[in-house]
Amino acid sequence: MRLIVVEAAAEVLGNLPADEIPVPLRQIARFRPQSRAKQGAVPIAGQLETNAAFRDKVARPLRDGQPELCAALEAGEVPAAADPVRLAALAYLLRPRGWTEHVETARAELERVAGAAQEAETARTVAALRDQLAEARTARSEELERMRSELKEARTEIADLRRRLHDEKRTAKAARERAENVEKRHNTDRAETLTALGAADKELKGLRAKLGQAEAALESNRKAAREGRKLEDIRLRLLLDTLVEAAQGVRSELNLPAVILRPADLAGGVDPSAAPAAGRSLSENDPQLFNQVLALPHVHLIVDGYNVTKTGYGELPLADQRNRLISGLGGLAAQTHAEITCVFDGASLDGHIAVQAPRGVRVLFSRPGQIADDLIGELLKVEPPGRAVVVVSSDQEVAASARRAGGRPATASLLLKRLGRF
């Protein structure tokens, strides 16, 4: 009832002129209708209780909307079908004679309805609890049956585990016994090993002593060998000096010229008069051995010219390639005093080429129809047996030909590295 009265007052409050609104409710009158009923319920109820003029203004729309009910309420004749709550709200606002009875009747009706509703709810709750109890009993029976089944399975599993535990204990006991036996054998083997190690150490000490004696004897032998070689070197040097002095005496007696022709001067090459051909690939040799060979007396170094230049600086024009190689060979001749012959392929040359060969360097071109490899072969053939001859070429055929003739082959890259030191 109180809610109905407050909602009706909140609705009327928004339609009243500002001067007719009670002062405590003027602020609430600015709210929306829903907010007025919620937030202003207490002050609105207070004004309805104490302000009769405001109460009449609130009752006026209800009187206009339900004139017959209001008239019957004021005449004391209430329709039997009227809602007691709404009737109590009208009685509270209109305040006819005996209005409190209507309010009390509405309150009793509400209590009765609430009690009936509570009893119905209680009955529903009791029924639901009974259903839940029945379900719980059924579930408990099922759970009890399941637990009995699980207990039976657990007892079976425990019996199986006990049997397995007994087997494991027996197996563990046997394993401990085997371990003890193994440990005993290990201790026995360890003692035997230590004994063998002691004997081996003793034998090793004896071997080391023998090794020291052998090293001392070896060093003594080496010293004796060095002294023997020194004696042989002295004898060989004395013999060599004797031969040199004898050769000088023969040259002086026969009045031989100081400079004679070399075998390579008689080879069938031609003067520089043609253009060069392309060279081939190279391979590495021992540089120390190369230097040792160049230091031999009267060594003859034969160079496959274009094979070397194409390997080292093939990007240069042919004339620059020749000049660069010949210049480097001149420095090598001055340093080693070796006889050097540089052979170029002249088979395709059709004009005269001026070449300034430095001192100690002979420059040859192959004849028309002949390749440089053939000219190198002729140079090897005219050399006397036993003379030191080195052929520089990365051509495998040229190297093989040099070996067959008793010469020493060397790669083009080896000569280029040697020339790069100048």
Side-chain angles (χ1 to χ4, degrees):
M1 182 197 72
R2 183 175 181 274
L3 179 61
I4 296 175
V5 173
V6 171
E7 288 180 350
E11 185 69 25
V12 172
L13 192 62
N15 298 325
L16 291 177
D19 55 348
E20 295 182 6
I21 299 174
V23 175
L25 302 181
R26 288 181 180 177
Q27 183 67 25
I28 299 173
R30 298 189 182 95
F31 298 167
R32 293 181 299 175
Q34 296 85 350
S35 300
R36 291 184 210 130
K38 283 184 179 180
Q39 301 179 9
V42 175
I44 290 174
Q47 288 297 316
L48 289 173
E49 182 66 28
T50 59
N51 192 334
F54 178 65
R55 191 169 55 249
D56 291 339
K57 293 175 183 177
V58 173
R60 190 179 305 157
L62 298 176
R63 188 189 300 275
D64 295 340
Q66 303 178 37
E68 296 178 356
L69 183 60
C70 292
L73 183 62
E74 291 176 348
E77 300 175 356
V78 180
D83 184 3
V85 178
R86 186 169 294 279
L87 188 63
L90 286 174
Y92 178 80
L93 292 174
L94 298 176
R95 300 289 175 96
R97 187 176 55 191
W99 66 275
T100 56
E101 296 178 0
H102 295 291
V103 173
E104 184 64 24
T105 302
R107 184 186 64 77
E109 181 65 20
L110 287 175
E111 289 180 355
R112 185 187 66 77
V113 172
Q118 186 175 4
E119 289 178 359
E121 181 66 24
T122 301
R124 287 194 298 271
T125 304
V126 170
L129 289 175
R130 286 176 178 173
D131 294 340
Q132 292 178 5
L133 180 60
E135 293 177 357
R137 286 177 177 173
T138 303
R140 187 178 65 83
S141 299
E142 295 176 354
E143 181 68 17
L144 183 60
E145 186 64 25
R146 185 184 63 79
M147 291 180 67
R148 286 174 179 171
S149 177
E150 291 180 355
L151 179 60
K152 184 178 180 180
E153 293 177 358
R155 287 175 177 172
T156 303
E157 185 177 358
I158 289 172
D160 183 59
L161 289 175
R162 285 176 177 172
R163 184 173 58 255
R164 291 169 56 185
L165 178 61
H166 178 71
D167 295 340
E168 291 293 336
K169 286 182 178 179
R170 185 171 56 189
T171 304
K173 182 178 179 181
R176 283 197 299 271
E177 292 176 354
R178 288 195 301 270
E180 290 175 357
N181 294 332
V182 170
E183 185 176 3
K184 290 178 181 178
R185 289 197 300 270
H186 172 71
N187 292 334
T188 303
D189 294 342
R190 185 171 180 272
E192 293 176 355
T193 302
L194 292 175
T195 303
L197 286 176
D201 289 340
K202 184 176 181 181
E203 184 178 359
L204 180 60
K205 291 179 181 179
L207 292 175
R208 285 177 178 172
K210 292 181 180 179
L211 178 61
Q213 295 174 0
E215 289 178 347
L218 178 61
E219 182 62 26
S220 177
N221 293 334
R222 286 178 178 173
K223 184 177 180 180
R226 284 195 298 270
E227 292 177 353
R229 284 197 301 271
K230 185 176 180 181
L231 179 60
E232 293 296 331
D233 292 342
I234 294 174
R235 292 175 178 175
L236 181 60
R237 179 60 184 269
L238 179 60
L239 178 60
L240 181 60
D241 291 342
T242 303
L243 291 175
V244 170
E245 292 176 359
Q248 291 176 354
V250 171
R251 174 179 290 181
S252 176
E253 183 177 352
L254 297 178
N255 197 20
L256 296 177
V259 179
I260 62 175
L261 291 176
R262 302 294 178 93
D265 294 330
L266 304 178
V270 298
D271 290 335
S273 60
R280 300 180 183 177
S281 63
L282 63 130
S283 61
E284 289 292 336
N285 280 333
D286 186 0
Q288 184 177 3
L289 179 61
F290 183 67
N291 293 331
Q292 292 176 356
V293 172
L294 290 180
L296 294 174
H298 302 289
V299 64
H300 188 186
L301 180 65
I302 302 175
V303 181
D304 188 353
Y306 287 134
N307 185 277
V308 175
T309 61
K310 293 292 184 179
T311 300
Y313 26 84
E315 72 280 359
L316 299 178
L318 294 178
D320 293 341
Q321 292 182 27
R322 291 193 300 271
N323 293 335
R324 182 170 178 177
L325 175 60
I326 293 171
S327 177
L329 293 176
L332 183 62
Q335 186 183 49
T336 62
H337 304 289
E339 178 185 356
I340 299 178
T341 302
C342 185
V343 179
F344 293 101
D345 192 351
S348 61
L349 298 180
D350 54 1
H352 177 73
I353 296 179
V355 176
Q356 297 294 331
R359 182 181 180 86
V361 179
R362 180 187 300 107
V363 179
L364 296 178
F365 285 85
S366 61
R367 298 184 300 274
Q370 182 189 40
I371 61 175
D373 296 357
D374 296 337
L375 181 54
I376 293 174
E378 292 184 5
L379 291 173
L380 291 170
K381 290 179 181 179
V382 299
E383 289 294 340
R387 186 184 184 188
V389 179
V390 180
V391 179
V392 178
S393 177
S394 294
D395 189 334
Q396 296 299 322
E397 295 182 0
V398 175
S401 177
R403 289 191 188 94
R404 288 193 299 268
R408 294 176 178 267
T411 60
S413 61
L414 190 60
L415 177 62
L416 289 169
K417 290 179 181 178
R418 185 66 175 82
L419 296 180
R421 295 165 51 183
F422 294 112

